[in-house]
Each structure stands twice: as C-alpha cells, then as structure tokens.
Amino acid sequence: MTSISKVIIIGGGIGGLTLARACLDVGIAVELYEKRGLDAMLSGPGGIFIQRNALRVYKLLQSGQIYQRFYHSGGLILKGGFFDRQGKPLYINAPQFIGEDDLGVCLLRPELQQILFEALPEGTVRTGAAFEKFEDAGNGVRVFFSDGRTAEGDISVGADGLYSKVRATLNGRERLEEPVYSGTCCWRGYFDGSGLPLDSQYSWAEFWGQGNRFGYFDVGGGRFAFYAFNNTPAGGNDGALGGSLNALRSLFKGYADPVPAIIEAIAREKIYRDDIVDRPPLGTQWGQGRVTLIGDAAHPVQPNLGQGGCMAVEDSFELAKLLCTSQAGGDTVPSLLRQFEASRAQRVTRVFNSSRQIGKLGQADTALGCFLRNGIYKLTPARLADLQFKWLFDYQPQWNQTRTNHSA
C-alpha cells in the first residue's frame, strides 16, 4: 500500500506554492525550497492571467480563501479581443461563450505571489536554498542543497521553472540545454490607466501589426499590465536605441490609440525585456523514481494563450489529488507519479501547440501574411473562432469524495 506523508517541493513560483497549499489541504506535510531570497521570490514582471480553468482549482483550495483574495485584488477578464494596428476588431471574445460571467482574473505577479505565500503556514517556505541533487533513500527521497541543507520526503517535485535544475539532474546533466527561441522578444510592465483613451467595454486587448503586437489587460485597482512582442534575433537589448521606452516608441508609433498613449504612460515604470522561448513536450514521462516535475519545469510554453501559469495550477491540483487517493491504493510511488505525468501529457501538449500557433499568427511579418491573417479572422464567425479557445475551459477539478478537508 502506498502512503505519501511528506512532499519536498523545489521552486517557489505559482506551481510550487499552489502544490504546497493543495498538499496541506489533503493532510500531506510539505517543505518548499526556493533558491532566491524572499523579496525576489515575491516579485516578477508585469501581470498574469489566472483563467477560469485554474480559478476553479483555487475555489477548492484553503476553503476558497485564495480564490476570494484573487477576485478582491485583481481585474476581471471580461470582453476583449484581437485588433489590427488601426484598432479595427479582428476577433472579439466574451465570457458568455463558456457560460460564465467572467473568464477569470488577472493580477500583477508580485501580488499573486504574495497571496499564495500568505496562504501557507509560517516555515513552509525555505528561501536561499539552491537545489544541488537528490538521491533515492529506499522508501523515500533525500534532497541536497548547495548550502549544506538536506531534506527528506516520500517524493520530490521540481517546480523550478524553465531552467529547472531538477529536470537537468534527472537527465544526468549539470544544466539543461538552451530552450527553443521563438524568434520574438517581449517587453512587460504595468501602468496606471487613469486618463488614458482605453475603451471601457474591453478589459483586455491585443493589437496585431507586421512582425510585432501590443497588448494590455486589467489587473485591478485602475492598473493595467502591458506586453509587447517584436520579431528580432535572440539576445538583443535596447541599448542602441537609448533604452526600452525609446524602442517601444519607435516600434509602435504607427499604431492607433491607445497604444502610443500607453507607451507614454509607462515612462515612469520599470520595463522588463526578455526573449520568448519554450521547450518541446516531454511526452508521457517527465520524471523518474520518486521525482516528478510540474509547470514550466516540465512543459514551458509561449505566453500567447495566457495558460502557462494555469497549466502549473492544474498540475498541482491533479498531483495532490492523486497523492491523496494513493493513501488507500496499491500503486507504488514511482508508478503513481508516472500515472500523474501520463494523465497530463495530452492537455499540456495541446496548449504548447496552440500557443505556438497563435504566436505565429500574431507575429506574421509579411504584408501578405498579415493581410490573409486579418482577413481570415474578420470573416470567421465569432462562434467558430471561439472554438479555438473553448476547450481550455473544459477542465473541471474535483476532489475525491473520500478526501478529508485540512484547509486552514
């Protein structure tokens, strides 16, 4: 009989913090180790979409307290869509297509991290702990950190992101190979929406040009997060243009309002730039032995659907649910983890492929390609266009009825 009583989590992002709360809710002890200091862990650029599929998880965790705090702090995902650079609608989407009042909520990343961190008992998260290696301890796993600390549990979960040291160690490497560059870089940040020519009927919007695009979304309290993409060689920076603000002004000067006005509004805020990358799906097995992966450590995707963080949330819930179920089951621990990985493979692979597809459409860089793309979207009935996204919201998490509630 399998009995999971303690989980060691590596990584304090959205996946690791959510898994920690989910484990505690089913009575499984947890220790979370994060290599960064607490201030760095509770930071992050721009905003994040927590869409309805992931929000359903938070409604089940900690008696709905996280869910309520998200709605209190964030901005609702309501009507929004894709527009051409002149501001003409290409595709408009509204929550009614999934029968809900909203599609979820958007938050600034630091606020999301703070809420998830505060949902855990003091001492659950141990910072400044860089993962070094793990070893099979027979009936458990022992984890070693670079500062000499060790931890032992029944399983270990790598939630340490795109450059996961846990994943590298599983592959017998010191570090992972470089991820796949999309051909696109991204600027992110946030701004105060007061006084700007934002159309009040939209909570989010994305404007498509030729080889670049610009988007924004409501993150609550009159604030909005923005993102801007541009096709460019990897590893670039904005030094030659006199900084990121000048780069954005130059790229998007031909766009209709509100884009130029937003760019001027972000002049007082910090702008982050990075290259957009992903890694091909791992298939049906992500880990080995008593070690598995979740979130970006297992399946990083391009941020074109707003579902990268949501997949980590789903992973966390499904893993905790399976670990809880195992208390009365006959599976060995490794087979249980492989079962979890296989159960998630098809959905996360579909998100990966769809994210790449939307990215290619949005980043079309020839006049003909943009003309065809825009024409197809304009001519496609909204109900048919909705089908490319509707499946994302079909996920309906449920605890097993035999679960004992330990939320607090």
Side-chain angles (χ1 to χ4, degrees), residues 132-178:
E132 193 71 29
K133 63 178 182 177
F134 58 81
E135 66 179 29
D136 191 324
N139 60 350
V141 62
R142 185 175 294 113
V143 184
F144 298 82
F145 300 92
S146 59
D147 63 358
R149 275 183 277 186
T150 62
E152 293 188 19
D154 298 298
I155 68 168
S156 182
V157 180
D160 51 339
L162 175 67
Y163 296 95
S164 172
K165 181 71 180 293
V166 177
R167 178 168 168 174
T169 303
L170 284 166
N171 294 336
R173 299 177 181 178
E174 178 65 26
R175 60 179 59 86
L176 285 175
E177 68 278 6
E178 287 300 305

mmCIF file of all heavy atoms in Angstrom, residues 132-178:
data_model
loop_
_atom_site.group_PDB
_atom_site.id
_atom_site.type_symbol
_atom_site.label_atom_id
_atom_site.label_comp_id
_atom_site.label_asym_id
_atom_site.label_seq_id
_atom_site.Cartn_x
_atom_site.Cartn_y
_atom_site.Cartn_z
ATOM 1 N N GLU A 132 20.760 21.094 -5.278
ATOM 2 C CA GLU A 132 22.021 20.533 -5.756
ATOM 3 C C GLU A 132 21.810 19.175 -6.416
ATOM 4 O O GLU A 132 22.204 18.944 -7.552
ATOM 5 C CB GLU A 132 22.998 20.415 -4.590
ATOM 6 C CG GLU A 132 24.432 20.133 -4.988
ATOM 7 C CD GLU A 132 25.100 21.326 -5.661
ATOM 8 O OE1 GLU A 132 24.740 22.482 -5.367
ATOM 9 O OE2 GLU A 132 25.991 21.071 -6.491
ATOM 10 N N LYS A 133 21.174 18.251 -5.674
ATOM 11 C CA LYS A 133 20.949 16.911 -6.220
ATOM 12 C C LYS A 133 19.942 16.183 -5.329
ATOM 13 O O LYS A 133 19.557 16.668 -4.267
ATOM 14 C CB LYS A 133 22.250 16.112 -6.271
ATOM 15 C CG LYS A 133 22.870 15.842 -4.903
ATOM 16 C CD LYS A 133 24.135 15.000 -5.011
ATOM 17 C CE LYS A 133 24.713 14.701 -3.624
ATOM 18 N NZ LYS A 133 25.910 13.832 -3.677
ATOM 19 N N PHE A 134 19.507 15.011 -5.788
ATOM 20 C CA PHE A 134 18.657 14.159 -4.967
ATOM 21 C C PHE A 134 19.181 12.733 -5.063
ATOM 22 O O PHE A 134 19.934 12.382 -5.987
ATOM 23 C CB PHE A 134 17.187 14.229 -5.418
ATOM 24 C CG PHE A 134 16.966 13.840 -6.859
ATOM 25 C CD1 PHE A 134 16.883 12.501 -7.238
ATOM 26 C CD2 PHE A 134 16.837 14.802 -7.843
ATOM 27 C CE1 PHE A 134 16.700 12.138 -8.558
ATOM 28 C CE2 PHE A 134 16.647 14.444 -9.177
ATOM 29 C CZ PHE A 134 16.574 13.107 -9.527
ATOM 30 N N GLU A 135 18.802 11.924 -4.100
ATOM 31 C CA GLU A 135 19.165 10.508 -4.165
ATOM 32 C C GLU A 135 18.019 9.671 -3.593
ATOM 33 O O GLU A 135 17.275 10.116 -2.710
ATOM 34 C CB GLU A 135 20.461 10.227 -3.417
ATOM 35 C CG GLU A 135 20.407 10.439 -1.928
ATOM 36 C CD GLU A 135 21.731 10.124 -1.239
ATOM 37 O OE1 GLU A 135 22.804 10.281 -1.873
ATOM 38 O OE2 GLU A 135 21.696 9.736 -0.050
ATOM 39 N N ASP A 136 17.886 8.475 -4.116
ATOM 40 C CA ASP A 136 16.865 7.544 -3.642
ATOM 41 C C ASP A 136 17.272 7.038 -2.266
ATOM 42 O O ASP A 136 18.357 6.511 -2.077
ATOM 43 C CB ASP A 136 16.730 6.378 -4.626
ATOM 44 C CG ASP A 136 15.510 5.515 -4.341
ATOM 45 O OD1 ASP A 136 15.179 5.325 -3.151
ATOM 46 O OD2 ASP A 136 14.895 5.014 -5.298
ATOM 47 N N ALA A 137 16.380 7.234 -1.310
ATOM 48 C CA ALA A 137 16.676 6.798 0.060
ATOM 49 C C ALA A 137 15.935 5.509 0.402
ATOM 50 O O ALA A 137 15.627 5.238 1.563
ATOM 51 C CB ALA A 137 16.297 7.901 1.041
ATOM 52 N N GLY A 138 15.624 4.706 -0.610
ATOM 53 C CA GLY A 138 14.923 3.447 -0.391
ATOM 54 C C GLY A 138 13.427 3.652 -0.346
ATOM 55 O O GLY A 138 12.739 3.501 -1.355
ATOM 56 N N ASN A 139 12.934 4.008 0.802
ATOM 57 C CA ASN A 139 11.493 4.252 0.936
ATOM 58 C C ASN A 139 11.162 5.737 0.901
ATOM 59 O O ASN A 139 10.105 6.172 1.362
ATOM 60 C CB ASN A 139 10.968 3.637 2.237
ATOM 61 C CG ASN A 139 11.653 4.230 3.462
ATOM 62 O OD1 ASN A 139 12.638 4.953 3.333
ATOM 63 N ND2 ASN A 139 11.135 3.903 4.640
ATOM 64 N N GLY A 140 12.077 6.538 0.345
ATOM 65 C CA GLY A 140 11.870 7.977 0.235
ATOM 66 C C GLY A 140 12.925 8.589 -0.667
ATOM 67 O O GLY A 140 13.665 7.888 -1.361
ATOM 68 N N VAL A 141 12.990 9.919 -0.654
ATOM 69 C CA VAL A 141 13.982 10.627 -1.448
ATOM 70 C C VAL A 141 14.670 11.648 -0.549
ATOM 71 O O VAL A 141 14.034 12.274 0.299
ATOM 72 C CB VAL A 141 13.331 11.304 -2.682
ATOM 73 C CG1 VAL A 141 12.301 12.340 -2.265
ATOM 74 C CG2 VAL A 141 14.374 11.932 -3.589
ATOM 75 N N ARG A 142 15.979 11.777 -0.731
ATOM 76 C CA ARG A 142 16.757 12.753 0.035
ATOM 77 C C ARG A 142 17.238 13.835 -0.932
ATOM 78 O O ARG A 142 17.763 13.537 -2.006
ATOM 79 C CB ARG A 142 17.951 12.077 0.711
ATOM 80 C CG ARG A 142 18.755 12.999 1.627
ATOM 81 C CD ARG A 142 19.862 12.246 2.358
ATOM 82 N NE ARG A 142 19.305 11.265 3.285
ATOM 83 C CZ ARG A 142 19.429 9.942 3.136
ATOM 84 N NH1 ARG A 142 20.094 9.443 2.099
ATOM 85 N NH2 ARG A 142 18.889 9.111 4.030
ATOM 86 N N VAL A 143 17.049 15.088 -0.547
ATOM 87 C CA VAL A 143 17.393 16.220 -1.404
ATOM 88 C C VAL A 143 18.513 17.021 -0.756
ATOM 89 O O VAL A 143 18.484 17.289 0.451
ATOM 90 C CB VAL A 143 16.164 17.121 -1.640
ATOM 91 C CG1 VAL A 143 16.514 18.253 -2.607
ATOM 92 C CG2 VAL A 143 14.980 16.312 -2.176
ATOM 93 N N PHE A 144 19.495 17.403 -1.558
ATOM 94 C CA PHE A 144 20.657 18.149 -1.075
ATOM 95 C C PHE A 144 20.675 19.552 -1.681
ATOM 96 O O PHE A 144 20.359 19.729 -2.865
ATOM 97 C CB PHE A 144 21.952 17.419 -1.464
ATOM 98 C CG PHE A 144 22.086 16.052 -0.864
ATOM 99 C CD1 PHE A 144 21.458 14.961 -1.444
ATOM 100 C CD2 PHE A 144 22.842 15.853 0.287
ATOM 101 C CE1 PHE A 144 21.578 13.694 -0.894
ATOM 102 C CE2 PHE A 144 22.977 14.589 0.851
ATOM 103 C CZ PHE A 144 22.341 13.505 0.259
ATOM 104 N N PHE A 145 21.076 20.539 -0.859
ATOM 105 C CA PHE A 145 21.139 21.921 -1.309
ATOM 106 C C PHE A 145 22.568 22.432 -1.205
ATOM 107 O O PHE A 145 23.374 21.917 -0.423
ATOM 108 C CB PHE A 145 20.174 22.779 -0.490
ATOM 109 C CG PHE A 145 18.749 22.317 -0.614
ATOM 110 C CD1 PHE A 145 18.220 21.404 0.295
ATOM 111 C CD2 PHE A 145 17.956 22.763 -1.656
ATOM 112 C CE1 PHE A 145 16.913 20.952 0.169
ATOM 113 C CE2 PHE A 145 16.647 22.312 -1.787
ATOM 114 C CZ PHE A 145 16.125 21.403 -0.880
ATOM 115 N N SER A 146 22.875 23.463 -1.980
ATOM 116 C CA SER A 146 24.258 23.928 -2.096
ATOM 117 C C SER A 146 24.811 24.514 -0.802
ATOM 118 O O SER A 146 26.023 24.600 -0.625
ATOM 119 C CB SER A 146 24.370 24.964 -3.217
ATOM 120 O OG SER A 146 23.524 26.070 -2.968
ATOM 121 N N ASP A 147 23.935 24.923 0.123
ATOM 122 C CA ASP A 147 24.421 25.476 1.385
ATOM 123 C C ASP A 147 24.583 24.412 2.471
ATOM 124 O O ASP A 147 24.814 24.732 3.636
ATOM 125 C CB ASP A 147 23.490 26.588 1.874
ATOM 126 C CG ASP A 147 22.070 26.085 2.179
ATOM 127 O OD1 ASP A 147 21.810 24.876 1.971
ATOM 128 O OD2 ASP A 147 21.234 26.901 2.605
ATOM 129 N N GLY A 148 24.447 23.135 2.082
ATOM 130 C CA GLY A 148 24.642 22.042 3.027
ATOM 131 C C GLY A 148 23.375 21.491 3.639
ATOM 132 O O GLY A 148 23.390 20.455 4.306
ATOM 133 N N ARG A 149 22.262 22.172 3.433
ATOM 134 C CA ARG A 149 20.993 21.667 3.953
ATOM 135 C C ARG A 149 20.568 20.406 3.219
ATOM 136 O O ARG A 149 20.906 20.213 2.040
ATOM 137 C CB ARG A 149 19.891 22.729 3.804
ATOM 138 C CG ARG A 149 19.837 23.727 4.925
ATOM 139 C CD ARG A 149 18.674 24.697 4.757
ATOM 140 N NE ARG A 149 18.997 25.790 3.855
ATOM 141 C CZ ARG A 149 18.188 26.829 3.623
ATOM 142 N NH1 ARG A 149 17.001 26.893 4.226
ATOM 143 N NH2 ARG A 149 18.549 27.799 2.810
ATOM 144 N N THR A 150 19.821 19.555 3.903
ATOM 145 C CA THR A 150 19.216 18.383 3.278
ATOM 146 C C THR A 150 17.754 18.307 3.701
ATOM 147 O O THR A 150 17.353 18.890 4.716
ATOM 148 C CB THR A 150 19.925 17.073 3.689
ATOM 149 O OG1 THR A 150 19.800 16.901 5.105
ATOM 150 C CG2 THR A 150 21.396 17.086 3.281
ATOM 151 N N ALA A 151 16.973 17.580 2.914
ATOM 152 C CA ALA A 151 15.552 17.373 3.228
ATOM 153 C C ALA A 151 15.167 15.975 2.788
ATOM 154 O O ALA A 151 15.707 15.460 1.805
ATOM 155 C CB ALA A 151 14.691 18.415 2.533
ATOM 156 N N GLU A 152 14.248 15.376 3.503
ATOM 157 C CA GLU A 152 13.787 14.035 3.150
ATOM 158 C C GLU A 152 12.266 14.012 3.089
ATOM 159 O O GLU A 152 11.585 14.646 3.898
ATOM 160 C CB GLU A 152 14.279 13.003 4.168
ATOM 161 C CG GLU A 152 15.779 12.802 4.152
ATOM 162 C CD GLU A 152 16.225 11.633 5.025
ATOM 163 O OE1 GLU A 152 15.373 10.784 5.346
ATOM 164 O OE2 GLU A 152 17.412 11.592 5.374
ATOM 165 N N GLY A 153 11.747 13.291 2.110
ATOM 166 C CA GLY A 153 10.311 13.134 1.970
ATOM 167 C C GLY A 153 9.989 11.878 1.193
ATOM 168 O O GLY A 153 10.892 11.144 0.768
ATOM 169 N N ASP A 154 8.709 11.635 0.999
ATOM 170 C CA ASP A 154 8.295 10.466 0.218
ATOM 171 C C ASP A 154 8.507 10.688 -1.266
ATOM 172 O O ASP A 154 8.822 9.753 -2.002
ATOM 173 C CB ASP A 154 6.822 10.154 0.494
ATOM 174 C CG ASP A 154 6.588 9.804 1.949
ATOM 175 O OD1 ASP A 154 7.159 8.792 2.389
ATOM 176 O OD2 ASP A 154 5.870 10.535 2.644
ATOM 177 N N ILE A 155 8.315 11.926 -1.708
ATOM 178 C CA ILE A 155 8.587 12.280 -3.102
ATOM 179 C C ILE A 155 9.183 13.679 -3.144
ATOM 180 O O ILE A 155 9.091 14.440 -2.171
ATOM 181 C CB ILE A 155 7.321 12.252 -3.989
ATOM 182 C CG1 ILE A 155 6.349 13.376 -3.602
ATOM 183 C CG2 ILE A 155 6.626 10.900 -3.935
ATOM 184 C CD1 ILE A 155 5.222 13.587 -4.610
ATOM 185 N N SER A 156 9.775 14.026 -4.289
ATOM 186 C CA SER A 156 10.252 15.384 -4.529
ATOM 187 C C SER A 156 9.678 15.863 -5.858
ATOM 188 O O SER A 156 9.591 15.085 -6.820
ATOM 189 C CB SER A 156 11.778 15.446 -4.566
ATOM 190 O OG SER A 156 12.226 16.777 -4.745
ATOM 191 N N VAL A 157 9.290 17.140 -5.904
ATOM 192 C CA VAL A 157 8.665 17.712 -7.099
ATOM 193 C C VAL A 157 9.468 18.918 -7.564
ATOM 194 O O VAL A 157 9.651 19.881 -6.811
ATOM 195 C CB VAL A 157 7.206 18.133 -6.812
ATOM 196 C CG1 VAL A 157 6.572 18.723 -8.072
ATOM 197 C CG2 VAL A 157 6.397 16.951 -6.302
ATOM 198 N N GLY A 158 9.943 18.868 -8.787
ATOM 199 C CA GLY A 158 10.637 20.003 -9.383
ATOM 200 C C GLY A 158 9.641 20.991 -9.951
ATOM 201 O O GLY A 158 8.974 20.700 -10.942
ATOM 202 N N ALA A 159 9.541 22.154 -9.303
ATOM 203 C CA ALA A 159 8.675 23.236 -9.779
ATOM 204 C C ALA A 159 9.549 24.460 -10.014
ATOM 205 O O ALA A 159 9.146 25.593 -9.746
ATOM 206 C CB ALA A 159 7.584 23.525 -8.754
ATOM 207 N N ASP A 160 10.754 24.201 -10.505
ATOM 208 C CA ASP A 160 11.777 25.245 -10.570
ATOM 209 C C ASP A 160 11.951 25.859 -11.955
ATOM 210 O O ASP A 160 13.025 26.348 -12.297
ATOM 211 C CB ASP A 160 13.109 24.729 -10.016
ATOM 212 C CG ASP A 160 13.557 23.402 -10.611
ATOM 213 O OD1 ASP A 160 12.713 22.660 -11.157
ATOM 214 O OD2 ASP A 160 14.755 23.092 -10.515
ATOM 215 N N GLY A 161 10.901 25.838 -12.749
ATOM 216 C CA GLY A 161 10.831 26.690 -13.917
ATOM 217 C C GLY A 161 11.577 26.257 -15.159
ATOM 218 O O GLY A 161 12.061 25.131 -15.287
ATOM 219 N N LEU A 162 11.677 27.205 -16.087
ATOM 220 C CA LEU A 162 12.205 26.977 -17.427
ATOM 221 C C LEU A 162 13.597 26.355 -17.427
ATOM 222 O O LEU A 162 13.910 25.502 -18.259
ATOM 223 C CB LEU A 162 12.230 28.321 -18.171
ATOM 224 C CG LEU A 162 12.858 28.351 -19.552
ATOM 225 C CD1 LEU A 162 12.028 27.550 -20.545
ATOM 226 C CD2 LEU A 162 12.986 29.802 -20.039
ATOM 227 N N TYR A 163 14.441 26.783 -16.518
ATOM 228 C CA TYR A 163 15.826 26.276 -16.461
ATOM 229 C C TYR A 163 15.993 25.289 -15.303
ATOM 230 O O TYR A 163 17.016 25.261 -14.629
ATOM 231 C CB TYR A 163 16.808 27.439 -16.345
ATOM 232 C CG TYR A 163 16.803 28.338 -17.558
ATOM 233 C CD1 TYR A 163 16.024 29.495 -17.590
ATOM 234 C CD2 TYR A 163 17.529 28.003 -18.688
ATOM 235 C CE1 TYR A 163 15.988 30.307 -18.706
ATOM 236 C CE2 TYR A 163 17.511 28.816 -19.814
ATOM 237 C CZ TYR A 163 16.732 29.960 -19.824
ATOM 238 O OH TYR A 163 16.705 30.758 -20.946
ATOM 239 N N SER A 164 14.999 24.464 -15.096
ATOM 240 C CA SER A 164 14.913 23.546 -13.965
ATOM 241 C C SER A 164 16.180 22.726 -13.732
ATOM 242 O O SER A 164 16.603 21.934 -14.571
ATOM 243 C CB SER A 164 13.738 22.591 -14.186
ATOM 244 O OG SER A 164 13.723 21.570 -13.228
ATOM 245 N N LYS A 165 16.767 22.925 -12.543
ATOM 246 C CA LYS A 165 17.924 22.114 -12.146
ATOM 247 C C LYS A 165 17.484 20.680 -11.836
ATOM 248 O O LYS A 165 18.250 19.732 -12.045
ATOM 249 C CB LYS A 165 18.592 22.754 -10.927
ATOM 250 C CG LYS A 165 19.842 22.026 -10.407
ATOM 251 C CD LYS A 165 21.005 22.191 -11.340
ATOM 252 C CE LYS A 165 22.260 21.466 -10.830
ATOM 253 N NZ LYS A 165 22.813 22.041 -9.598
ATOM 254 N N VAL A 166 16.253 20.530 -11.352
ATOM 255 C CA VAL A 166 15.748 19.176 -11.078
ATOM 256 C C VAL A 166 15.637 18.393 -12.377
ATOM 257 O O VAL A 166 16.054 17.227 -12.458
ATOM 258 C CB VAL A 166 14.378 19.238 -10.364
ATOM 259 C CG1 VAL A 166 13.832 17.825 -10.147
ATOM 260 C CG2 VAL A 166 14.501 19.961 -9.029
ATOM 261 N N ARG A 167 15.091 19.013 -13.398
ATOM 262 C CA ARG A 167 14.971 18.335 -14.699
ATOM 263 C C ARG A 167 16.340 17.991 -15.270
ATOM 264 O O ARG A 167 16.544 16.898 -15.820
ATOM 265 C CB ARG A 167 14.195 19.228 -15.669
ATOM 266 C CG ARG A 167 14.044 18.650 -17.065
ATOM 267 C CD ARG A 167 13.038 19.447 -17.869
ATOM 268 N NE ARG A 167 13.063 19.120 -19.286
ATOM 269 C CZ ARG A 167 12.215 19.593 -20.186
ATOM 270 N NH1 ARG A 167 11.241 20.420 -19.802
ATOM 271 N NH2 ARG A 167 12.304 19.268 -21.465
ATOM 272 N N ALA A 168 17.287 18.912 -15.140
ATOM 273 C CA ALA A 168 18.637 18.639 -15.624
ATOM 274 C C ALA A 168 19.241 17.439 -14.895
ATOM 275 O O ALA A 168 19.849 16.550 -15.511
ATOM 276 C CB ALA A 168 19.517 19.873 -15.447
ATOM 277 N N THR A 169 19.064 17.402 -13.572
ATOM 278 C CA THR A 169 19.606 16.307 -12.774
ATOM 279 C C THR A 169 18.972 14.977 -13.166
ATOM 280 O O THR A 169 19.653 13.938 -13.230
ATOM 281 C CB THR A 169 19.385 16.585 -11.273
ATOM 282 O OG1 THR A 169 19.987 17.833 -10.935
ATOM 283 C CG2 THR A 169 20.003 15.494 -10.413
ATOM 284 N N LEU A 170 17.675 14.989 -13.449
ATOM 285 C CA LEU A 170 17.008 13.775 -13.924
ATOM 286 C C LEU A 170 17.634 13.268 -15.221
ATOM 287 O O LEU A 170 17.669 12.063 -15.478
ATOM 288 C CB LEU A 170 15.511 14.054 -14.157
ATOM 289 C CG LEU A 170 14.631 14.155 -12.908
ATOM 290 C CD1 LEU A 170 13.283 14.770 -13.261
ATOM 291 C CD2 LEU A 170 14.440 12.776 -12.278
ATOM 292 N N ASN A 171 18.137 14.202 -16.033
ATOM 293 C CA ASN A 171 18.770 13.847 -17.301
ATOM 294 C C ASN A 171 20.276 13.618 -17.171
ATOM 295 O O ASN A 171 20.970 13.455 -18.172
ATOM 296 C CB ASN A 171 18.526 14.952 -18.335
ATOM 297 C CG ASN A 171 17.062 15.090 -18.710
ATOM 298 O OD1 ASN A 171 16.300 14.142 -18.582
ATOM 299 N ND2 ASN A 171 16.667 16.267 -19.166
ATOM 300 N N GLY A 172 20.756 13.636 -15.920
ATOM 301 C CA GLY A 172 22.177 13.397 -15.690
ATOM 302 C C GLY A 172 23.068 14.546 -16.123
ATOM 303 O O GLY A 172 24.236 14.343 -16.484
ATOM 304 N N ARG A 173 22.534 15.762 -16.086
ATOM 305 C CA ARG A 173 23.286 16.919 -16.534
ATOM 306 C C ARG A 173 23.429 17.946 -15.422
ATOM 307 O O ARG A 173 22.643 17.972 -14.478
ATOM 308 C CB ARG A 173 22.583 17.585 -17.730
ATOM 309 C CG ARG A 173 22.445 16.669 -18.939
ATOM 310 C CD ARG A 173 21.676 17.373 -20.042
ATOM 311 N NE ARG A 173 21.500 16.510 -21.203
ATOM 312 C CZ ARG A 173 20.830 16.850 -22.285
ATOM 313 N NH1 ARG A 173 20.255 18.047 -22.338
ATOM 314 N NH2 ARG A 173 20.715 16.019 -23.301
ATOM 315 N N GLU A 174 24.410 18.799 -15.587
ATOM 316 C CA GLU A 174 24.597 19.905 -14.644
ATOM 317 C C GLU A 174 23.555 20.992 -14.894
ATOM 318 O O GLU A 174 23.045 21.602 -13.971
ATOM 319 C CB GLU A 174 26.010 20.481 -14.794
ATOM 320 C CG GLU A 174 26.310 21.660 -13.895
ATOM 321 C CD GLU A 174 26.294 21.312 -12.415
ATOM 322 O OE1 GLU A 174 26.546 20.129 -12.078
ATOM 323 O OE2 GLU A 174 26.034 22.218 -11.594
ATOM 324 N N ARG A 175 23.253 21.224 -16.181
ATOM 325 C CA ARG A 175 22.240 22.217 -16.542
ATOM 326 C C ARG A 175 21.550 21.772 -17.825
ATOM 327 O O ARG A 175 22.088 20.990 -18.608
ATOM 328 C CB ARG A 175 22.844 23.608 -16.714
ATOM 329 C CG ARG A 175 23.903 23.693 -17.793
ATOM 330 C CD ARG A 175 24.437 25.124 -17.929
ATOM 331 N NE ARG A 175 25.020 25.600 -16.699
ATOM 332 C CZ ARG A 175 26.280 25.389 -16.345
ATOM 333 N NH1 ARG A 175 27.082 24.672 -17.128
ATOM 334 N NH2 ARG A 175 26.761 25.849 -15.228
ATOM 335 N N LEU A 176 20.357 22.308 -18.039
ATOM 336 C CA LEU A 176 19.592 21.967 -19.231
ATOM 337 C C LEU A 176 20.174 22.634 -20.470
ATOM 338 O O LEU A 176 20.835 23.681 -20.395
ATOM 339 C CB LEU A 176 18.140 22.424 -19.075
ATOM 340 C CG LEU A 176 17.242 21.600 -18.157
ATOM 341 C CD1 LEU A 176 15.876 22.281 -18.046
ATOM 342 C CD2 LEU A 176 17.080 20.181 -18.689
ATOM 343 N N GLU A 177 19.910 22.027 -21.624
ATOM 344 C CA GLU A 177 20.252 22.684 -22.884
ATOM 345 C C GLU A 177 19.410 23.949 -23.028
ATOM 346 O O GLU A 177 18.387 24.114 -22.359
ATOM 347 C CB GLU A 177 19.995 21.753 -24.071
ATOM 348 C CG GLU A 177 18.532 21.426 -24.347
ATOM 349 C CD GLU A 177 17.970 20.319 -23.467
ATOM 350 O OE1 GLU A 177 18.677 19.852 -22.546
ATOM 351 O OE2 GLU A 177 16.805 19.935 -23.701
ATOM 352 N N GLU A 178 19.836 24.840 -23.898
ATOM 353 C CA GLU A 178 19.096 26.091 -24.086
ATOM 354 C C GLU A 178 17.696 25.800 -24.637
ATOM 355 O O GLU A 178 17.516 24.888 -25.438
ATOM 356 C CB GLU A 178 19.847 27.016 -25.042
ATOM 357 C CG GLU A 178 21.082 27.651 -24.421
ATOM 358 C CD GLU A 178 20.748 28.502 -23.197
ATOM 359 O OE1 GLU A 178 19.912 29.415 -23.324
ATOM 360 O OE2 GLU A 178 21.323 28.252 -22.120
#
